[in-house]
Amino acid sequence: MIVTDFRHLNHFISPAATELSEAWQRSLSRLGDYTGMVVRALNLRPQAATLYRQTERHLLVRLTLPTEHVILRVAPEDDLAAHVAFLRGMALEGVPGARIIHRDLSKTFVPFAYTVESFIAGQTAAELADDHLLHSIARQAGRALRRLHRQRMPGAGRPTISGRWPRLSWQHVLKAIGQRLASPPAPQLVFSAEEVQALQTALADPRLDCPTPVLIHGNLGPQAVRCTVGGQHVHLEALEEPGWFISGDGLFDLAFGLRAHLPAAWCEGLYEGYCSAGALSQAESERLQMLRLLTCAWSACDRYVRGLPHEADAEAARRMLAELVVVGSSTP
């Protein structure tokens, strides 16, 4: 039976829901109406339509077609330019991910950018309870990440909706990432004034320069890796849900994936997989350590604001900060 009425997807939004922007309220309250408009415009014939998932930036509606599932990705505020560029880049490098079937970023037909993508089955690595499986999928993710980082990009950061890349340095993008994850007063609440100043000094270190930006995920962790499990084996199905910025230093992805609050099995597997194609040089190892310092510190602030346990990341940042000071003080 073909579904023609999608009103079950509309969500009642309480007038007291002031934490939601007007764009999010509109998209949620009329999600079914807008889904119906897209379905009719593309001449799709879904047999079912369900709200599959809600991420920080997107709404995902799963449409069940006669032969397959597809995902309608609704972006109430994101222009989806970076998301589309990331999926295309993954496809060029042979990294598993969703395939774009249709896209409309113009916001002329409906008041948001949207894509229709292939459906990726399975579960996220964050749902794996077995350390052996988590280590295995992390190794696969590390190898895929290394392939991803072979693709050079026109600039650092993210493209505009027209596909152009602003002329931004990686240092500028790194500071923007820090602002997104650890905007004041979070750093002052987690770290001492001296530690905050030391982190600012580390952020300005010239060793963090990246003259040749590459495609990056920007938000790597077990939650961004989709996999399927069969017995004692696990298979990587896709890297998904990239961050706001998708171009820069590839080692940022590795550093972000090694944050202290993540399981040890994941961190060990990710590092092993990433380095399986070749060990890091001394300069890369130093840069990775500095990026780990920053990502742990920013993660501690982000998790503190969200009410999540932040102590592991904060302590790791303090330890690396002390090591950085010792190294600097011993330099003639």
Side-chain angles (χ1 to χ4, degrees), residues 52-217:
Y52 179 63
R53 193 163 78 244
Q54 179 177 338
T55 71
E56 289 186 6
R57 303 199 307 269
H58 306 147
L59 295 165
L60 307 184
V61 177
R62 187 175 71 178
L63 302 174
T64 302
L65 305 182
T67 58
E68 63 177 344
H69 296 300
V70 297
I71 290 292
L72 168 63
R73 182 179 298 270
V74 172
E77 295 176 316
D78 181 11
D79 60 22
L80 285 180
H83 179 82
V84 169
F86 179 79
L87 292 188
R88 285 177 171 172
M90 280 205 305
L92 288 173
E93 293 299 333
V95 177
R99 173 176 53 88
I100 295 179
I101 300 169
H102 179 80
R103 63 184 177 89
D104 185 350
L105 314 186
S106 65
K107 301 184 182 181
T108 54
F109 178 60
V110 286
F112 49 74
Y114 71 88
T115 60
V116 178
E117 306 168 9
S118 58
F119 174 75
I120 305 296
Q123 63 189 95
T124 68
E127 300 171 70
L128 296 175
D130 187 296
D131 281 352
H132 167 73
L133 295 179
L134 187 58
H135 183 274
S136 177
I137 193 61
R139 278 186 61 91
Q140 296 176 52
R143 291 195 294 269
L145 206 61
R146 194 70 176 259
R147 293 205 310 273
L148 189 74
H149 296 162
R150 294 184 305 196
Q151 184 171 344
R152 296 187 176 187
M153 301 299 283
R158 57 182 279 128
T160 65
I161 193 171
S162 65
R164 296 182 178 180
W165 287 82
R167 294 185 178 276
L168 301 176
S169 69
W170 171 237
Q171 286 273 13
H172 180 97
V173 174
L174 257 186
K175 291 177 182 177
I177 294 173
Q179 283 294 316
R180 293 181 71 87
L181 293 175
S183 59
Q188 290 76 15
L189 296 173
V190 176
F191 298 102
S192 69
E194 293 78 9
E195 289 167 340
V196 171
Q197 182 57 51
L199 288 168
Q200 290 298 321
T201 301
L203 182 57
D205 194 300
R207 287 178 292 178
L208 290 172
D209 289 345
C210 175
T212 306
V214 299
L215 184 65
I216 65 173
H217 182 277

Side-chain angles (χ1 to χ4, degrees), residues 13 17-28 76-77:
I13 305 299
T18 55
E19 72 279 4
L20 292 174
S21 68
E22 182 180 344
W24 271 94
Q25 292 187 40
R26 180 177 61 241
S27 296
L28 282 166
E77 295 176 316

